[in-house]
Amino acid sequence: MRHRWINRFRQEGHDGLWGRSSRPHHCPRQIRVEVEEAIVATRRRERRGQDWIGSQLEVPARTVARVPRRHGVPYRANSPLNSLPRSDTSTDALRQRTPRSPRPSKTARPH
């Protein structure tokens, strides 16, 4: 480990001592862009689930589930609830609240 830092200093000077990203330079197993676009387009057009889309495009269902999420496409692309803010779709906002009855006061009980 020490040799790595020494070699960097010798080759690059003080600039070589700055931290570097550990992100890989390439991902050989990453899905092709054309397939991602086909998954997103099919999800928007057909409004079907990952199992159906995966069988149509011959892609694993788990991959189909991950791609639209990465592109910001909701599971139900044309659902009217997707246009509402998150707080409006919660069950608390949709159900009517009933007022609570007041709690009984704490009084000293005789022993």
Side-chain angles (χ1 to χ4, degrees):
M1 180 77 169
R2 192 176 332 155
H3 296 288
R4 177 185 306 159
W5 291 101
I6 293 170
N7 289 335
R8 281 186 188 173
F9 181 75
R10 286 180 182 155
Q11 292 174 357
E12 302 174 33
H14 287 286
D15 291 338
L17 300 179
W18 285 98
R20 297 183 183 187
S21 173
S22 60
R23 183 177 179 191
H25 296 288
H26 59 74
C27 299
R29 296 180 57 111
Q30 186 175 10
I31 190 168
R32 293 190 324 269
V33 176
E34 301 85 28
V35 176
E36 281 198 23
E37 290 171 353
I39 290 171
V40 171
T42 305
R43 172 66 63 89
R44 285 190 170 136
R45 183 180 62 248
E46 300 292 334
R47 296 180 54 198
R48 302 291 293 263
Q50 60 201 31
D51 294 326
W52 186 85
I53 294 173
S55 67
Q56 295 296 311
L57 300 177
E58 298 179 358
V59 178
R62 185 68 194 109
T63 302
V64 173
R66 194 172 33 245
V67 169
R69 201 173 312 130
R70 186 167 44 223
H71 287 271
V73 177
Y75 181 71
R76 302 267 187 230
N78 295 327
S79 172
L81 291 178
N82 288 334
S83 62
L84 299 174
R86 178 71 179 139
S87 61
D88 292 343
T89 61
S90 67
T91 56
D92 289 341
L94 297 177
R95 75 172 161 226
Q96 184 177 11
R97 290 235 180 223
T98 57
R100 287 184 168 189
S101 59
R103 288 186 171 187
S105 62
K106 293 185 178 181
T107 58
R109 294 183 1 191
H111 287 71

